Amino acid sequence: MITRKKPEKFRLRRTMMFMNAQKPSLIKDAYIYGSDSIILDLEDAVAENQKDSARFSLYHALKTIDYGDTEVIVRINGLDTPHWQEDIRCVVAAGADGIRIAKCESAEDVKLVEKHVLAAEKEFGVEEGRTLLMAALESPKGILNAYEIVTASDRMFGCAFLVEILENLCMSK
C-alpha cells in the first residue's frame, strides 16, 4: 500500500491534467506526463450507473500506484447529487491530496464538504487537515461568491473558474 506524504497547500500548480477515475489503464500512468497535478474525475467523466465502480478503481489506484511528487486531486460529484458523500469517504480513505468541489456556489458548500472530510479523516484515521480543498466555480452565483468561497476554509488551496461563465457574465453587460 502506498502512503502519500502530506500535501503542500502552497505549491506550484502550472498544469493540471484531468483523467477519468473509472479507467485504470489511464490513471495508472498519469504521472509520466509530468503535470504538476492530476485531477481524477468522479463527476462528469463517469456515467451515472458507473459511480461505484469508478470509486473502486480510484481507491485501488491511489493505494497501489506511486504518483511520486505529482499532486492527486479528485473532482467529486456535485452536492446536488446522491454521490458526493461517498466520494468524500473514498477520497479521504484512499489518501488523495485534495478534493475539487464541483459546482461550488457558496461558503456553505465549502463548509459542508469540510465537515464531511473531517468526519472521514476521523473515520479512517487520517491526519486531521490533511485533505485539501479546491472550489470549481461553474455558475454566476459561484463567481459572485468567490471571495467568501475561497476564504471559507483553511484547507482551501485554490479555485477554478469555468471560462464559459466568465464569458457569459461579460457578454451580458
Side-chain angles (χ1 to χ4, degrees):
M1 291 288 190
I2 302 296
T3 303
R4 297 186 56 77
K5 66 180 184 176
K6 186 172 181 174
E8 301 172 43
K9 187 174 176 181
F10 302 105
R11 66 174 279 162
L12 187 58
R13 294 176 179 90
R14 297 163 297 196
T15 55
M16 297 180 125
M17 183 171 59
F18 278 80
M19 307 294 288
N20 183 333
Q22 183 179 3
K23 301 195 180 207
S25 60
L26 293 176
I27 61 178
K28 72 178 180 63
D29 294 328
Y31 64 92
I32 67 171
Y33 298 105
S35 63
D36 297 312
S37 304
I38 59 171
I39 299 178
L40 301 176
D41 191 5
L42 288 173
E43 191 203 19
D44 292 340
V46 178
E48 185 69 24
N49 65 349
Q50 298 295 312
K51 300 293 185 180
D52 289 335
S53 64
R55 275 190 222 96
F56 181 83
S57 293
L58 171 89
Y59 178 85
H60 287 286
L62 290 176
K63 285 297 195 182
T64 59
I65 298 169
D66 184 358
Y67 289 97
D69 289 334
T70 302
E71 179 180 59
V72 180
I73 307 298
V74 178
R75 179 164 74 165
I76 62 169
N77 285 280
L79 304 182
D80 59 342
T81 73
H83 307 292
W84 66 273
Q85 292 174 335
E86 194 59 29
D87 290 349
I88 289 173
R89 290 183 72 248
C90 175
V91 169
V92 171
D97 296 319
I99 291 173
R100 181 169 164 148
I101 307 167
K103 300 173 183 80
C104 188
E105 293 193 327
S106 68
E108 290 74 28
D109 289 350
V110 174
K111 290 175 185 173
L112 179 62
V113 169
E114 182 177 44
K115 179 179 130 186
H116 284 268
V117 168
L118 179 58
E121 287 173 340
K122 289 179 181 177
E123 178 182 357
F124 296 108
V126 174
E127 177 186 348
E128 185 177 319
R130 185 197 182 286
T131 311
L132 300 177
L133 299 176
M134 175 186 202
L137 309 181
E138 303 178 49
S139 71
K141 184 176 180 183
I143 301 292
L144 291 172
N145 292 327
Y147 179 77
E148 290 80 13
I149 289 169
V150 300
T151 58
S153 170
D154 288 338
R155 296 173 185 261
M156 190 66 68
F157 73 87
C159 68
F161 296 91
L162 187 64
V163 174
E164 291 85 11
I165 296 299
L166 293 175
E167 289 172 350
N168 289 338
L169 284 172
C170 293
M171 298 294 277
S172 66
K173 291 197 176 210

